[in-house]
Structures are given as C-alpha cells and as structure tokens.
Amino acid sequence: MPDPAATPVFILCGGLGSRLGEVGRQQPKAMLDIGDRPMLLHVMECYARHGFRRFVVCTGHRREVISGYFLNFHAIHADFTVDLATGALHHHLTGSTPDWEVTVAHTGSGAMTGARVARAAARHLGTADHFAVTYGDGLTDADLAAELAFHHAHDGLATMLGVGQPSPFGHVEVRDDVVLSFEEKPRRDDDWVNGGFFLFRRAALEHFSTASECVLEQDVLPRLARAGQLRLFRWAGFWSCVDTVPDQQRAAALWEAGAAPWRR
C-alpha cells in the first residue's frame, strides 16, 4: 500500500474569495471559522485521518493571516507562560497536537491555481514521486487513502475525486402523459463532478506552468484528459464546497451539532 505520509498535500488558499463580499476581502476564505477552528484546519484533518501529514499551504491574498496562524499555532491552541523579563516562552499543551509538517508558501497575489501548484512544487515537492492537490474550501468524508491507492494502481498521471451531485430539479418518468414516478432532486449514478481532491505523479508537472495565468481547471486538467492521463475516483458520500457565507453557516451548524460527516 502507498504511504500517505510520504505524499505532500498542496492546498490552494490564495484566491480572493469574491463571493464572500467584505468577509473575503478581510481574510483568506480558508481561514473562515467553522466551529472552533478555521476551515483550512478541517481540510487538513480530512487528509490527516487517512495518514497524510505533510502539507504545503499555497498562499496569495492576505497571506499574512495564514502565516501568522501557523507561526502562532501553539499560542492559539494551548496555554502558555511568558517571562516578560527574558522573553522565555513555554507552551502548556492541553490536548493532542497534530504531528504535521506545514509549509506556508507564498505563490503570488495574482497567480491562478495551476501556477500556484507549479510554483510551490518547484520549491517544496522534494523527492516525492506523487503529490496531492486540493482547495482550502472543500470538505468530504471520502476515503483519501483509498484514492491514493487507486492512483498508484493505474498508469495515468493524475486522479480526480468525482462526487455525485443531486439534480437541482425533480425527475419525472412519464408514459403517455401519465406520471409513473417522481423523485425530488435525484442523484444520478452517471453524473460526476470535480470534487477538488487530486493526486498527481511528478511527471504531470510538465502540464503545469508557473505563468500566472495557468489555471488548473481550465488548462491543466483538460490537457491531461485529452492525453488520456486523467482518471476518476468515484465517491458517493459527503462532499461540500464552502464557497459563500450561507455555505459556511451550514457547515458550522453541522459541526456544532456533532453531525459533520467529514468529522468521522
């Protein structure tokens, strides 16, 4: 079985969060709170539950917010004592601390998603032959270790998590004007959308560019698909993109109620 701990996860957190209005202008979308922690931490925990522990956070807009959070992680999440005369600092860890390695990589304020991955990978991929990519606003209960195993088992350069989404409309089955069945917002087994949790082989970087205009979704993925190098890992469980304030509120309500599927 492939080792998730050896697979770095690049998390895209540099966008402007324009759909969030003033909230998005004040801070990166990934730093919006869901319950007692920023959304970014929830995303990382989705991976950590399956053994991933090395993260590269690709920043842009308001990068100092993310940098400050991780530089002060223990001060935020634990008690501490500071000797004001000497400046000596001691943290009193009150709970379990993640055994993660987190790299914060500034990838440019105006760079698109593909460029962010290419720039961060050039500096921080190291010797890894495979790497994961995701966004700072997607939550899922998908088995990401199983996706990694699927990725290693095929010979393509890339794997994309495909999630089934319910139709926004009710489905009607009709014969001779007689309604035989009606299903409100059905989930179609043959209709999969991009779930935003990717895996790539190192060689896939040839399809990326560090040019600011390189877009993962419009340039890299279509290019890989045309070359027959993109595979789909299907997941019929929970998935949500937290893209707006109502999305955040719904996710927070699930978390506070102890009913968040991605928490498992």
Side-chain angles (χ1 to χ4, degrees), residues 179-200:
V179 176
L180 302 179
S181 67
F182 175 81
E183 185 179 2
E184 178 67 6
K185 298 182 179 179
R187 182 185 294 270
R188 294 181 53 185
D189 293 336
D190 61 344
D191 191 10
W192 300 92
V193 300
N194 173 15
F197 290 79
F198 308 97
L199 287 156
F200 296 95

Side-chain angles (χ1 to χ4, degrees), residues 14-155:
L16 296 177
S18 56
R19 295 183 185 179
L20 293 167
E22 183 60 31
V23 174
R25 285 187 286 273
Q26 293 174 357
Q27 64 179 334
K29 180 166 55 172
M31 295 305 291
L32 291 178
D33 283 338
I34 295 178
D36 60 350
R37 66 201 68 183
M39 181 161 51
L40 175 56
L41 216 60
H42 289 272
V43 174
M44 297 166 81
E45 288 168 346
C46 287
Y47 278 96
R49 276 189 288 275
H50 299 285
F52 295 84
R53 61 168 303 275
R54 181 181 165 199
F55 300 96
V56 181
V57 182
C58 305
T59 65
H61 170 63
R62 296 300 311 272
R63 61 172 172 156
E64 72 279 2
V65 177
I66 294 177
S67 297
Y69 177 78
F70 286 106
L71 284 172
N72 296 287
F73 188 87
H74 285 119
I76 293 170
H77 291 279
D79 298 341
F80 64 89
T81 299
V82 59
D83 187 320
L84 298 181
T86 66
L89 179 66
H90 176 71
H91 292 102
H92 308 278
L93 301 180
T94 56
S96 59
T97 303
D99 62 339
W100 308 340
E101 176 188 287
V102 181
T103 299
V104 178
H106 181 49
T107 51
S109 298
M112 304 303 287
T113 49
R116 293 190 189 284
V117 173
R119 293 174 183 183
R123 305 197 301 263
H124 303 295
L125 181 57
T127 60
D129 291 324
H130 302 263
F131 61 97
V133 173
T134 194
Y135 306 99
D137 61 0
L139 301 171
T140 186
D141 64 353
D143 188 336
L144 298 175
E147 184 188 14
L148 178 63
F150 172 83
H151 172 73
H152 275 257
H154 68 68
D155 59 359

Side-chain angles (χ1 to χ4, degrees), residues 201-253:
R201 297 180 188 272
R202 175 184 285 271
L205 287 170
E206 296 178 4
H207 295 270
F208 288 77
S209 169
T210 57
S212 294
E213 62 271 16
C214 178
V215 181
L216 174 64
E217 305 80 8
Q218 297 176 12
D219 299 317
V220 179
L221 296 178
R223 192 176 299 130
L224 287 166
R226 288 193 297 270
Q229 295 294 327
L230 181 60
R231 305 289 189 272
L232 189 71
F233 179 76
R234 296 171 176 83
W235 186 256
F238 174 84
W239 175 85
S240 176
C241 178
V242 183
D243 202 32
T244 65
V245 172
D247 292 337
Q248 178 205 10
Q249 293 170 341
R250 283 190 291 269

